[in-house]
Amino acid sequence: MEESNETKETKKTRAKPKMRIPEWVGVLVGLILIYAIFAIVCHKTGKPQFTSVDNMINVARQISMITIVAIGMTFVIISGGIDLSVGAVAAFSGVIAAQTLLATGGNTFLAVLMGLIAGAAVGVFNGFIVANFKVPPFIVTLATMIGFRGLAFIRCGGRPVPIEGIFLKIGEGEIFNIPIPVIIMLVVIAAGWFFANHTKWGRYVYALGGNEEASRLSGINVKFMKFLVFGMGGLLAALAGIINSARLGSGDPKEGNMWELDAIAAAVVGGTSLSGGRGMIIGTVIGAIIIGVIKNGLDILGVESYTQMLIKGSVILAAVLIDQIRKDENVRDYSIKCIPWVLGIIAGLIAKRFIPMSWGWIIVILIIAAIGVGGHFVMKSFKKK
Amino acid sequence: MFPANPFPIDKNAKLYYRVVIKMENILEIKNLEKTFPEVQALKGISFCISKGEVHALLGENGAGKSTLVKIVAGAQTADPGSEIFYRGKKVYFSTPIQAMNDGISVIYQEFNLVSYLSVAENIFLGREPLHPWGAINWGKLHDMTHQLCEPLGLHIDPGARIEELGVAQKQMVEIAKALSQKAELLFMDEPTASLTDEETQKLFKIIRDLKEKGVTIVYISHHLEEIFEITDTLTVLRDGEWIGTKPTKDVTMDELIQMMVGRKLVDLFPGRDVEITDEVLLDVRNVNRGDEIQDVNFKLCRGEILGFAGLMGAGRTEVMRILFGADKKDSAQIKIKGKDVTINSPVDALKEGLALVPEDRKDEGLVMELPVDYNTTLGNMNGVCKANFFIDHLREFEVVQKYIEEINIKTPSHHQVIKFLSGGNQQKVVVAKWLFIPSHIIIFDDPTRGIDIGAKFEIYKLMNKLVGEGIGVILISSDLPEAMGMCDRIVVMRGGRITKVLQKEEFSQETIMKYATGG
C-alpha cells in the first residue's frame, strides 16, 4: 500500500512543462463563427467583397486605434482598475500634437513626442491619485475624463487644429500595402503580449489585480506598478489619439468619444475579468476584431447605424454570457449542454423564414444565443430540483 | 422522495448497517462522488451521522472533508448518482440558503464575512430585525448580537467593523453567526484553528450545550486531542475515500493517525541537531506604536528557533508586521547581523533579508486567482528572470517543480489555479513562496493553522533545515504544544508587551498561560 502510493507520487511529480490550451481559444472560435456567418450571408446577398483581402486590411485599419487603447485598458483592468479617461486623453494628446506641429513649423517627431508625453502624464496622474489617496480608479478617471476633455477644448478654443505635412502619413501612409496604423497596432500587440507574459512587471500586474495586500507583502512596489499601469494606459490612448488626428488631418477635441467603452467592451469580450487578476492580451485583440468584423459586416450589408448599435450591444452581452456558461462547472456534461443550442438553431431557422431583411441572419443568431443561454439556466435550475 | 433503504448494498455495508440500527440518522450519505476538472475529490463515500451526536470528520488536507461539507450544505453540487438523505428524506440543495432553511449550517474554515459591515450586520445578514415600517431596528439588532456573543466570551462592540477584528475574533463571529441560524446540523470546519486554549474550552462548552439541545455537530479539526475530548463518533477520509466510521472511545490516538495517514507517524516534532551560537542574527529594540505595542525588545541568535506565544490580540502579529514594514510604527530599531537597518516597507525588509510568512493565506499570502507557479515565484521574480526583468519560463518551471517535490505540494499541475487546492496545500505554496526569497531571517506567523499532521511535520522539518543553514527562524504559534516542541526560547506577550522570555527548560503550558493571561 505504502509503496504503491510512493511510486504513484514520484510518477506524478516528474512532470515536464506541458502545453496548455490558451484560454482565448474560446473567443477565437467565436470570432471564426461570426466571420463565417457574415461571409456566407454576404456571399448569398451578392456582396462578396466582405471576404476580400482589401476588406480585411480595411477592418484592421478600422480597429487599429481601439485595439491600441484596449491593450492599455486590459492592463489597467487586470491590475484591478479601470480607466474611463482614455477617450479624453486621446483627444487631448491629438490637440497637443497638432499644436506642437504648428508651433515648431512641422517637426513631426517633436509633435508625436509631446502628444505621447501629454497622454502618459495624464495616465501617471491618474495612477498617482489612485495609489496615494486610495480613491477608486472609476472616480479618478471619471474626473480626469471630464477635466481633460475640457482642457482639450480650452487649449484650442474649441476649433480643430489643422495638421499638414509628413505627420499625415501616420494616419494614411502604407508600407507594402499595409496601412501604418495597422503596423503600429501590430507592434503594440506584440509588445503588450511580451510585457504581459514574459516580464516580471507583467506578472506583477496580474498579482496586483488578484490580491493587492498579498502583492504588497511579497515585496512588490504597489505604487510604482499603479503609476506604470495607468501611465501605459494614457500612453497608448495618446498613441491612438495621434493616429486618429493624423487620419483626420486635424487635432480635434471632439474626437475619441466613447473610446473607453469600446475598449472595455473589447477587453471583456476577450475574457478579461472586470474584478481584476484575469485577462489576456490576445483575448482583447480577438475581442476588438470581433467588434470590428461585426461593424464592417453590417456596414457592407447596409444596416443602418442605430440597428448596428442594438446588434453590437446584444453581441457583447451574448459573448459574455456564453463565456460564463463555458466556465460553469455545475453543468459539465457537454451532450446536455448542447440541447438548448440545438433547439435554438431549429427555432432560429424557422424564424428566418419570416424575416425578410438581408441582415435577418443576425436576428437568427441572436435568437439562437437567447434560447441557448436561457435554456442553459432553465436547465440548471431544473437539474437542482 | 425515497425512504432510506434499510439494507444498503455497498462495500461498506457492514459498518453502515451497524450505525443504521443503532440510532436515528440525521444525515446519510450514499456513494457521494465529486469530480473537479483535474481531480476526483470524493470517490464514492458512504456513511451516516446519528442525531444528537458530535461527529468528527477527519483526514489529511486534500482528503475531501471540505468538499464533502460544501456539497451537503449546498455550496457545491455532487456528481450524478450521489445520494444524500437528511432526516430520512433525499435532499438536493442547490444553494446554501436552502440548506440553511432546512437547518444545516456551516462554519467554514475560510471566513465568509463582509469586511465593511459591522459584527451585528454580519451575524444577521439578510435576517435583520425590522421596525414595523420596514427600517432596520438597530437597537434590537445590537441587543440580539450582544445576547449571542456574550456566552461565547466574545466581548466586542456589535457595531465594530469586521475588518478591525483579528483572526480569532472573526472566527468567533462566524460561530455566532451559525448559532444564530438555529441549526439542527452544524458543520464546524476547523473552528479552533485560530483560537487559544481558553477560547477552545469556551467553544467546547458551547458545543456541549448545543448537543444537549439536540443539535448534531460535525466537527472537523486537525487537533486530535480535541477529537478525543469532544466527539462521540469519528469518520476518517483519505484521498477522497472513506476509511472508516467508529465510536471515538474505541479508537486510540495511534490507530487514528494510522487511519488518517495510512502509515505510522512516530514523532510529532522532528528533532534538530543545531548548535546555538552567540551570533545575533536579529536585534530588535524599542518597538512602539501608541498604546497597542509598547517597548518590545528581543534578540534572535543563530541556530535557534524563537517562539512567540500569547493570546489573540497580544500583539505578536502586529510586532512582526511592524518589523516587516507592513504597518506603521512610532519607533523600532532593527539590527540584522549586527548592521543597523531601516525598514519602511516590505520592499525594504526583503532587501535586508527579512521575510514574513503571513498569517492569513487567503488575504495576505496568496493571489487566489493565479496558478501555483505564479504564486510560488511572486516574491522573488528576479530569481527566475533574465537580466532581472525577462521571465525565464523554464527556470521558473524547475524552481516550482523543486518545491512541489521538496515539500510535497499536491497539485494536478503547475498551472492549477490556487483556489482549487486544499487549504494545506495552499499553505505549502505560501511557505514555498517565502522559502524561495533569499533571506537571513524568516518569520512564520502561525504557519500550521488549519493543516494536517503530515503537512505540519513537513513544515517543521523545513524550519529545522533552515535553522541548520544558519537562517534565523521566528515562529508565532497559537498552538502551545507546537511552540514548546519546536522552539528553543519562547517570548510570551500580553497586551502589546513582552511579559516573559522562557528558556527551554522552563517550558510548560501552565507557565506560558500564566504569563500570557497575567494570572
Side-chain angles (χ1 to χ4, degrees), chain A residues 1-2 9 13-18 20 194 197-201 203-204 206-207 210-211 213-214 216-220 277-278 329-330 332 383-384, chain B residues 35 77 92 94 238 321 324 326 346-347 350 362-364 366-367 369 374 377-379 381-382 388-391 393 396-397 401 405 415 433-434:
Chain A
M1 178 74 198
E2 200 174 313
E9 253 159 43
T13 49
R14 285 281 150 76
K16 287 271 172 326
K18 54 181 174 193
R20 271 178 298 172
F194 187 82
N197 296 303
H198 293 274
T199 70
K200 68 171 182 182
W201 286 351
R203 182 69 61 83
Y204 289 170
Y206 284 90
N211 186 340
E213 179 65 6
R216 192 173 75 97
L217 294 178
S218 306
I220 295 171
R278 288 162 60 87
E329 61 164 54
N330 276 322
R332 227 180 308 110
K383 197 186 158 221
K384 297 259 165 92
Chain B
T35 318
T77 49
Y92 195 98
S94 53
R238 193 200 311 151
R321 282 180 64 97
F324 189 60
V347 183
L350 292 177
K362 191 175 161 195
D363 287 338
E364 298 169 340
L366 295 169
V367 185
E369 291 285 339
Y374 280 33
T377 55
L378 187 64
M381 285 306 287
N382 288 349
N388 282 351
F389 193 69
F390 302 106
I391 298 170
H393 286 99
E396 180 170 45
F397 179 85
Q401 188 64 35
E405 281 171 17
H415 312 301
K433 170 179 162 183
W434 293 94

Coordinates of all heavy atoms in Angstrom, one line a residue, chain A residues 1-2 9 13-18 20 194 197-201 203-204 206-207 210-211 213-214 216-220 277-278 329-330 332 383-384, chain B residues 35 77 92 94 238 321 324 326 346-347 350 362-364 366-367 369 374 377-379 381-382 388-391 393 396-397 401 405 415 433-434:
Chain A
M1 N 0.9 -1.2 0.0 CA 0.0 0.0 0.0 C 0.9 1.2 0.0 O 0.8 2.1 -0.8 CB -0.9 -0.1 1.2 CG -1.8 1.2 1.4 SD -3.2 1.1 0.2 CE -3.7 2.8 0.3
E2 N 1.8 1.2 1.0 CA 2.6 2.4 1.1 C 3.5 2.6 -0.1 O 3.7 3.7 -0.6 CB 3.5 2.2 2.4 CG 4.1 3.5 2.9 CD 4.8 3.2 4.2 OE1 4.3 2.5 5.1 OE2 6.0 3.7 4.3
E9 N 3.2 8.7 -6.6 CA 3.5 10.2 -6.4 C 4.8 10.6 -7.2 O 4.8 11.7 -7.8 CB 3.8 10.4 -4.9 CG 2.6 11.2 -4.3 CD 2.5 11.1 -2.8 OE1 3.6 11.1 -2.2 OE2 1.4 10.9 -2.3
T13 N 5.0 13.6 -9.9 CA 5.7 14.9 -9.8 C 6.8 15.0 -10.8 O 7.3 16.1 -11.0 CB 6.4 14.9 -8.4 OG1 7.1 13.7 -8.2 CG2 5.4 15.2 -7.3
R14 N 7.2 13.9 -11.5 CA 8.2 14.0 -12.6 C 7.6 14.6 -13.8 O 7.9 14.1 -14.9 CB 8.8 12.7 -12.9 CG 9.7 12.1 -11.8 CD 11.1 12.7 -11.9 NE 11.7 12.8 -10.6 CZ 12.2 11.8 -10.0 NH1 12.2 10.6 -10.5 NH2 12.8 11.9 -8.8
A15 N 6.8 15.6 -13.7 CA 6.2 16.2 -14.9 C 7.1 17.1 -15.7 O 8.0 17.7 -15.1 CB 4.9 16.9 -14.5
K16 N 6.9 17.1 -17.0 CA 7.6 18.1 -17.8 C 6.6 19.3 -18.1 O 5.4 19.1 -18.0 CB 8.0 17.4 -19.1 CG 9.1 16.4 -19.0 CD 10.4 17.1 -19.2 CE 11.6 16.2 -18.9 NZ 11.5 15.2 -17.8
P17 N 7.2 20.4 -18.4 CA 6.3 21.5 -18.7 C 5.4 21.1 -19.9 O 6.0 20.7 -20.9 CB 7.2 22.7 -19.1 CG 8.5 22.2 -19.1 CD 8.6 20.8 -18.5
K18 N 4.1 21.2 -19.8 CA 3.3 20.7 -20.9 C 2.5 21.9 -21.5 O 2.3 22.9 -20.8 CB 2.3 19.6 -20.5 CG 1.4 20.0 -19.3 CD 0.5 18.9 -18.9 CE -0.3 19.2 -17.6 NZ -0.9 18.1 -17.0
R20 N -0.3 24.2 -22.6 CA -1.7 24.4 -22.2 C -2.5 24.9 -23.3 O -2.0 25.6 -24.2 CB -1.7 25.5 -21.1 CG -1.5 25.0 -19.7 CD -1.5 26.2 -18.8 NE -0.4 27.1 -19.0 CZ -0.2 28.2 -18.4 NH1 -1.1 28.6 -17.5 NH2 0.8 29.0 -18.7
F194 N 4.2 40.5 -25.0 CA 5.5 40.2 -24.4 C 5.6 40.7 -23.0 O 6.0 40.0 -22.0 CB 6.6 40.8 -25.2 CG 8.0 40.4 -24.8 CD1 8.5 39.2 -25.2 CD2 8.7 41.2 -23.9 CE1 9.8 38.8 -24.7 CE2 10.0 40.8 -23.5 CZ 10.5 39.6 -23.9
N197 N 3.4 38.5 -20.6 CA 3.7 37.1 -20.4 C 5.2 36.8 -20.1 O 5.5 35.8 -19.6 CB 3.3 36.2 -21.6 CG 1.8 36.2 -21.8 OD1 1.1 35.9 -20.9 ND2 1.4 36.7 -22.9
H198 N 6.0 37.8 -20.4 CA 7.4 37.5 -20.3 C 8.3 38.4 -19.5 O 9.5 38.4 -19.6 CB 8.1 37.3 -21.8 CG 7.5 36.1 -22.5 ND1 8.1 34.9 -22.4 CD2 6.5 36.0 -23.3 CE1 7.4 34.0 -23.1 NE2 6.4 34.7 -23.7
T199 N 7.6 39.4 -18.8 CA 8.4 40.2 -18.0 C 7.8 40.2 -16.5 O 6.6 39.9 -16.4 CB 8.3 41.7 -18.4 OG1 7.0 42.2 -18.2 CG2 8.6 41.8 -19.9
K200 N 8.6 40.6 -15.6 CA 8.2 40.4 -14.2 C 7.1 41.5 -13.9 O 6.2 41.3 -13.1 CB 9.3 40.5 -13.2 CG 10.1 41.8 -13.1 CD 11.0 41.7 -11.9 CE 11.8 43.0 -11.8 NZ 12.8 43.0 -10.7
W201 N 7.3 42.7 -14.5 CA 6.2 43.7 -14.3 C 4.9 43.2 -14.8 O 3.9 43.5 -14.1 CB 6.6 45.0 -15.0 CG 7.7 45.7 -14.3 CD1 8.2 45.4 -13.0 CD2 8.4 46.9 -14.7 NE1 9.2 46.3 -12.7 CE2 9.4 47.2 -13.7 CE3 8.4 47.7 -15.8 CZ2 10.2 48.3 -13.8 CZ3 9.2 48.8 -15.9 CH2 10.2 49.1 -14.9
R203 N 3.8 40.2 -14.8 CA 3.4 39.3 -13.8 C 2.8 40.1 -12.6 O 1.8 39.7 -12.0 CB 4.5 38.4 -13.3 CG 4.3 37.3 -12.3 CD 3.4 36.2 -12.9 NE 3.9 35.5 -14.0 CZ 4.8 34.5 -13.8 NH1 5.2 34.1 -12.7 NH2 5.3 33.8 -14.9
Y204 N 3.5 41.1 -12.2 CA 3.1 41.9 -11.1 C 1.7 42.5 -11.3 O 0.9 42.7 -10.4 CB 4.0 43.0 -10.8 CG 5.4 42.6 -10.2 CD1 6.4 43.5 -10.0 CD2 5.5 41.3 -9.8 CE1 7.7 43.1 -9.5 CE2 6.8 40.9 -9.2 CZ 7.8 41.8 -9.1 OH 9.0 41.4 -8.6
Y206 N -0.8 41.2 -12.9 CA -1.8 40.2 -12.5 C -1.9 40.0 -11.0 O -3.0 39.9 -10.5 CB -1.4 38.8 -13.2 CG -1.7 38.7 -14.6 CD1 -0.7 39.1 -15.6 CD2 -2.9 38.2 -15.1 CE1 -1.0 39.0 -16.9 CE2 -3.2 38.1 -16.4 CZ -2.2 38.5 -17.4 OH -2.4 38.4 -18.7
A207 N -0.8 40.0 -10.4 CA -0.8 39.8 -8.9 C -1.5 40.9 -8.2 O -2.3 40.7 -7.3 CB 0.6 39.6 -8.4
G210 N -5.2 40.6 -8.6 CA -5.7 39.4 -7.9 C -5.8 39.6 -6.4 O -6.7 39.3 -5.7
N211 N -4.7 40.2 -5.8 CA -4.7 40.5 -4.3 C -3.7 41.5 -4.0 O -2.5 41.2 -4.0 CB -4.4 39.2 -3.6 CG -4.5 39.3 -2.1 OD1 -4.5 40.4 -1.6 ND2 -4.7 38.2 -1.4
E213 N -3.0 43.2 -1.2 CA -2.3 43.1 0.0 C -1.2 42.0 -0.1 O -0.1 42.2 0.4 CB -3.3 42.8 1.2 CG -2.6 42.6 2.5 CD -2.0 43.9 3.1 OE1 -2.1 45.0 2.5 OE2 -1.4 43.8 4.2
A214 N -1.6 40.9 -0.7 CA -0.6 39.8 -0.8 C 0.6 40.3 -1.7 O 1.7 40.0 -1.4 CB -1.2 38.6 -1.4
R216 N 1.7 43.4 -2.0 CA 2.5 44.3 -1.2 C 3.4 43.5 -0.3 O 4.6 43.8 -0.2 CB 1.6 45.2 -0.4 CG 2.3 46.4 0.2 CD 1.2 47.3 0.9 NE 0.7 46.8 2.1 CZ 1.1 47.1 3.3 NH1 2.1 48.0 3.4 NH2 0.6 46.6 4.4
L217 N 2.9 42.5 0.4 CA 3.7 41.7 1.3 C 4.7 40.9 0.6 O 5.6 40.4 1.2 CB 2.8 40.8 2.2 CG 1.9 41.6 3.2 CD1 1.0 40.6 3.9 CD2 2.7 42.5 4.1
S218 N 4.5 40.7 -0.7 CA 5.5 39.9 -1.5 C 6.6 40.8 -1.9 O 7.5 40.4 -2.7 CB 4.9 39.3 -2.7 OG 3.8 38.5 -2.3
G219 N 6.6 42.1 -1.5 CA 7.7 43.0 -1.9 C 7.5 43.6 -3.2 O 8.5 44.1 -3.8
I220 N 6.3 43.7 -3.7 CA 6.0 44.4 -4.9 C 5.8 45.9 -4.6 O 5.0 46.2 -3.7 CB 4.8 43.8 -5.7 CG1 5.2 42.4 -6.1 CG2 4.4 44.6 -6.9 CD1 4.0 41.6 -6.7
G277 N -7.1 40.7 -12.1 CA -6.4 39.5 -11.9 C -6.4 38.5 -13.1 O -5.6 37.6 -13.1
R278 N -7.4 38.7 -14.0 CA -7.5 37.7 -15.1 C -7.7 38.5 -16.4 O -8.5 39.4 -16.5 CB -8.7 36.8 -14.9 CG -8.5 35.8 -13.8 CD -9.8 35.2 -13.4 NE -10.5 34.6 -14.5 CZ -10.3 33.3 -14.8 NH1 -9.5 32.6 -14.1 NH2 -10.9 32.8 -15.9
E329 N -19.2 25.2 -14.0 CA -18.9 23.8 -13.7 C -20.1 23.0 -13.2 O -20.0 21.8 -12.9 CB -17.7 23.7 -12.8 CG -17.9 24.3 -11.4 CD -16.9 23.9 -10.4 OE1 -15.7 24.0 -10.8 OE2 -17.3 23.3 -9.4
N330 N -21.2 23.7 -13.0 CA -22.4 22.9 -12.5 C -23.0 22.0 -13.5 O -23.5 21.0 -13.2 CB -23.4 23.9 -11.9 CG -23.1 24.3 -10.5 OD1 -22.6 23.5 -9.7 ND2 -23.3 25.6 -10.2
R332 N -21.6 20.1 -16.5 CA -20.4 19.8 -17.2 C -20.5 18.8 -18.4 O -19.6 18.6 -19.1 CB -19.3 19.3 -16.2 CG -18.0 20.1 -16.5 CD -16.9 19.7 -15.6 NE -17.2 19.7 -14.2 CZ -17.4 18.6 -13.4 NH1 -17.3 17.5 -13.9 NH2 -17.7 18.8 -12.2
K383 N -32.3 21.1 -12.9 CA -31.5 20.0 -12.5 C -31.3 19.9 -11.0 O -31.3 18.9 -10.4 CB -30.1 20.2 -13.2 CG -29.3 18.9 -13.2 CD -27.9 19.2 -13.7 CE -27.0 18.1 -13.2 NZ -25.7 18.6 -12.8
K384 N -31.3 21.1 -10.4 CA -31.1 21.1 -9.0 C -32.3 20.6 -8.2 O -32.1 20.1 -7.1 CB -30.9 22.6 -8.6 CG -29.6 23.2 -9.2 CD -28.5 23.2 -8.2 CE -27.2 23.4 -8.9 NZ -26.8 24.8 -8.9
Chain B
T35 N -16.2 15.3 -8.8 CA -15.0 15.4 -9.7 C -14.8 16.8 -10.1 O -15.7 17.5 -10.5 CB -15.3 14.6 -11.0 OG1 -15.9 13.4 -10.7 CG2 -14.0 14.3 -11.7
T77 N -22.2 21.2 -6.0 CA -23.1 20.1 -6.3 C -22.3 18.8 -6.5 O -21.1 18.8 -7.0 CB -23.8 20.3 -7.6 OG1 -22.9 20.8 -8.6 CG2 -24.9 21.4 -7.4
Y92 N -31.6 17.6 -2.1 CA -30.7 18.1 -3.1 C -30.6 19.6 -3.0 O -31.5 20.3 -3.5 CB -31.2 17.7 -4.5 CG -30.1 17.9 -5.6 CD1 -29.3 16.8 -6.0 CD2 -29.9 19.1 -6.1 CE1 -28.3 17.0 -6.9 CE2 -28.9 19.3 -7.0 CZ -28.1 18.2 -7.5 OH -27.1 18.4 -8.4
S94 N -29.3 23.2 -3.8 CA -28.5 23.8 -4.8 C -28.0 25.2 -4.4 O -27.1 25.7 -5.0 CB -29.4 24.0 -6.1 OG -30.5 24.7 -5.8
R238 N -9.6 9.5 3.4 CA -8.2 9.6 2.9 C -8.2 9.7 1.4 O -8.8 8.8 0.8 CB -7.3 8.5 3.4 CG -5.8 8.8 3.2 CD -5.0 7.5 3.3 NE -5.3 6.7 4.4 CZ -5.2 5.4 4.4 NH1 -4.8 4.7 3.3 NH2 -5.5 4.7 5.5
R321 N 4.6 42.5 11.9 CA 4.3 43.3 10.7 C 5.0 44.6 10.8 O 5.3 45.2 9.7 CB 2.7 43.5 10.7 CG 2.0 42.3 10.1 CD 0.5 42.5 10.0 NE 0.1 43.5 9.1 CZ -0.3 43.3 7.9 NH1 -0.3 42.1 7.4 NH2 -0.6 44.3 7.1
F324 N 8.5 44.0 9.6 CA 8.5 43.7 8.2 C 8.1 45.0 7.3 O 8.2 45.0 6.1 CB 7.5 42.6 7.9 CG 7.5 42.1 6.5 CD1 8.7 41.5 6.0 CD2 6.4 42.1 5.7 CE1 8.7 41.0 4.7 CE2 6.4 41.6 4.4 CZ 7.6 41.0 3.9
A326 N 5.2 46.3 7.1 CA 3.9 46.3 6.5 C 2.9 47.3 7.2 O 2.0 47.7 6.5 CB 3.3 44.8 6.6
P346 N 7.6 46.5 3.0 CA 8.1 45.2 2.7 C 9.2 45.1 1.7 O 10.0 44.2 1.8 CB 6.8 44.5 2.2 CG 5.7 45.3 2.8 CD 6.2 46.7 2.9
V347 N 9.2 46.0 0.8 CA 10.3 46.0 -0.2 C 11.7 46.1 0.5 O 12.6 45.4 0.2 CB 10.1 47.2 -1.2 CG1 11.2 47.1 -2.3 CG2 8.8 47.1 -1.9
L350 N 12.5 42.9 2.5 CA 13.0 41.8 1.7 C 14.4 42.0 1.2 O 15.3 41.2 1.1 CB 12.1 41.5 0.5 CG 10.7 41.0 1.0 CD1 9.8 40.8 -0.2 CD2 10.9 39.6 1.6
K362 N -5.4 33.5 2.7 CA -6.3 33.9 1.7 C -6.2 35.4 1.4 O -6.3 35.8 0.2 CB -7.7 33.6 2.2 CG -8.8 33.7 1.2 CD -10.1 33.2 1.9 CE -11.3 33.7 1.2 NZ -12.6 33.6 2.0
D363 N -6.0 36.2 2.4 CA -6.0 37.6 2.2 C -4.6 38.2 2.0 O -4.4 39.2 1.4 CB -6.6 38.4 3.4 CG -8.1 38.2 3.4 OD1 -8.6 37.9 2.3 OD2 -8.7 38.3 4.4
E364 N -3.6 37.5 2.6 CA -2.2 38.1 2.6 C -1.2 37.3 2.0 O -0.2 37.8 1.5 CB -1.8 38.4 4.1 CG -2.7 39.4 4.8 CD -2.4 39.4 6.3 OE1 -1.8 38.5 6.8 OE2 -2.8 40.4 6.9
L366 N -1.6 34.7 -0.6 CA -1.7 34.2 -1.9 C -2.6 35.0 -2.8 O -3.4 35.8 -2.3 CB -2.3 32.8 -1.9 CG -1.5 31.7 -1.2 CD1 -2.4 30.4 -1.0 CD2 -0.3 31.3 -2.0
V367 N -2.4 34.9 -4.1 CA -3.3 35.5 -5.0 C -4.2 34.4 -5.5 O -3.7 33.5 -6.3 CB -2.6 36.2 -6.2 CG1 -3.6 36.9 -7.1 CG2 -1.5 37.2 -5.7
E369 N -6.6 33.8 -7.5 CA -7.0 33.6 -8.9 C -5.8 33.1 -9.7 O -6.0 32.8 -10.9 CB -7.5 34.9 -9.4 CG -8.9 35.4 -8.9 CD -10.0 34.6 -9.4 OE1 -9.8 33.9 -10.5 OE2 -11.1 34.5 -8.8
Y374 N 2.8 30.9 -10.5 CA 2.8 32.3 -10.4 C 3.0 32.7 -8.9 O 3.7 33.6 -8.5 CB 1.5 33.0 -10.9 CG 1.5 33.2 -12.4 CD1 2.1 32.3 -13.3 CD2 0.8 34.2 -13.0 CE1 2.0 32.4 -14.6 CE2 0.7 34.4 -14.3 CZ 1.3 33.5 -15.2 OH 1.2 33.6 -16.5
T377 N 6.6 32.0 -7.3 CA 7.7 32.8 -7.6 C 7.5 34.3 -7.4 O 8.4 35.1 -7.6 CB 8.2 32.6 -9.1 OG1 7.1 32.8 -9.9 CG2 8.7 31.2 -9.3
L378 N 6.3 34.6 -7.0 CA 5.9 36.1 -7.0 C 6.8 36.9 -6.1 O 7.1 38.0 -6.4 CB 4.4 36.2 -6.5 CG 3.9 37.6 -6.5 CD1 3.8 38.0 -8.0 CD2 2.5 37.6 -5.9
G379 N 7.3 36.4 -5.0 CA 8.1 37.2 -4.1 C 9.5 37.4 -4.5 O 10.2 38.2 -4.1
M381 N 10.8 37.3 -8.1 CA 10.8 37.2 -9.6 C 12.2 37.3 -10.2 O 12.5 36.7 -11.2 CB 9.9 38.3 -10.2 CG 8.4 38.0 -10.1 SD 7.9 36.4 -10.7 CE 8.0 36.7 -12.4
N382 N 13.1 38.1 -9.5 CA 14.4 38.2 -10.0 C 15.1 36.8 -10.1 O 16.0 36.6 -10.9 CB 15.2 39.1 -9.1 CG 14.8 40.6 -9.4 OD1 14.1 40.8 -10.3 ND2 15.3 41.4 -8.5
N388 N 17.1 40.3 -14.6 CA 16.1 40.8 -13.6 C 14.8 41.4 -14.2 O 14.1 42.1 -13.5 CB 16.8 41.9 -12.7 CG 17.7 41.3 -11.7 OD1 17.7 40.1 -11.5 ND2 18.4 42.1 -11.0
F389 N 14.5 41.0 -15.4 CA 13.3 41.5 -15.9 C 12.5 40.6 -16.8 O 11.3 40.5 -16.7 CB 13.6 42.8 -16.8 CG 12.4 43.6 -17.1 CD1 11.7 44.3 -16.1 CD2 12.0 43.7 -18.4 CE1 10.6 45.0 -16.4 CE2 10.8 44.4 -18.7 CZ 10.1 45.1 -17.7
F390 N 13.3 39.8 -17.6 CA 12.6 38.9 -18.6 C 12.4 37.5 -18.0 O 13.4 36.9 -17.6 CB 13.3 38.9 -19.9 CG 13.5 40.2 -20.5 CD1 14.7 40.8 -20.5 CD2 12.4 40.9 -21.0 CE1 14.9 42.1 -21.0 CE2 12.5 42.2 -21.6 CZ 13.8 42.8 -21.6
I391 N 11.2 37.1 -17.9 CA 10.9 35.8 -17.2 C 11.5 34.6 -18.0 O 11.3 34.5 -19.2 CB 9.4 35.6 -17.0 CG1 8.8 36.7 -16.2 CG2 9.1 34.2 -16.5 CD1 7.3 36.7 -16.1
H393 N 10.9 31.1 -18.4 CA 9.8 30.1 -18.0 C 10.3 28.8 -17.7 O 9.8 28.1 -16.8 CB 8.8 30.1 -19.1 CG 7.9 31.3 -19.2 ND1 8.1 32.3 -20.1 CD2 6.9 31.7 -18.5 CE1 7.2 33.2 -19.9 NE2 6.4 32.9 -18.9
E396 N 11.7 29.0 -14.2 CA 10.5 29.0 -13.3 C 9.9 27.6 -13.1 O 9.6 27.2 -11.9 CB 9.5 30.0 -13.8 CG 8.3 30.1 -12.9 CD 7.3 31.2 -13.4 OE1 7.1 31.3 -14.6 OE2 6.9 32.0 -12.5
F397 N 9.8 26.9 -14.2 CA 9.2 25.6 -14.1 C 10.1 24.7 -13.1 O 9.5 24.0 -12.3 CB 9.1 24.9 -15.4 CG 8.6 23.5 -15.4 CD1 7.2 23.3 -15.4 CD2 9.4 22.4 -15.3 CE1 6.7 22.0 -15.4 CE2 8.9 21.2 -15.2 CZ 7.6 21.0 -15.3
Q401 N 8.9 23.1 -9.7 CA 9.0 21.6 -9.6 C 9.7 21.2 -8.3 O 9.4 20.3 -7.6 CB 9.6 21.1 -10.8 CG 9.6 19.6 -11.0 CD 8.2 19.0 -11.1 OE1 7.3 19.7 -11.7 NE2 7.9 17.9 -10.4
E405 N 8.2 19.0 -5.2 CA 8.8 17.7 -4.7 C 9.2 17.8 -3.3 O 9.0 16.9 -2.5 CB 9.9 17.3 -5.6 CG 9.4 16.7 -6.9 CD 10.6 16.5 -7.9 OE1 11.7 16.5 -7.5 OE2 10.3 16.3 -9.1
H415 N 0.0 24.8 -13.3 CA -0.9 25.8 -13.7 C -2.2 25.8 -13.1 O -3.1 26.5 -13.4 CB -1.1 25.8 -15.3 CG 0.2 25.6 -16.0 ND1 1.2 26.5 -15.8 CD2 0.7 24.7 -16.8 CE1 2.3 26.1 -16.6 NE2 2.0 25.0 -17.1
K433 N 6.7 29.9 -1.4 CA 6.9 31.2 -1.9 C 8.0 32.0 -1.0 O 8.8 32.6 -1.6 CB 5.6 31.9 -1.9 CG 5.6 33.4 -2.2 CD 4.2 34.0 -2.1 CE 4.3 35.4 -2.0 NZ 2.9 36.0 -1.9
W434 N 7.8 31.8 0.3 CA 8.8 32.6 1.1 C 10.1 31.9 1.3 O 11.1 32.6 1.5 CB 8.1 32.8 2.5 CG 7.0 33.7 2.3 CD1 5.7 33.4 2.1 CD2 7.0 35.2 2.2 NE1 4.9 34.5 1.9 CE2 5.7 35.6 2.0 CE3 8.0 36.1 2.3 CZ2 5.3 36.9 1.8 CZ3 7.7 37.4 2.1 CH2 6.3 37.8 1.9

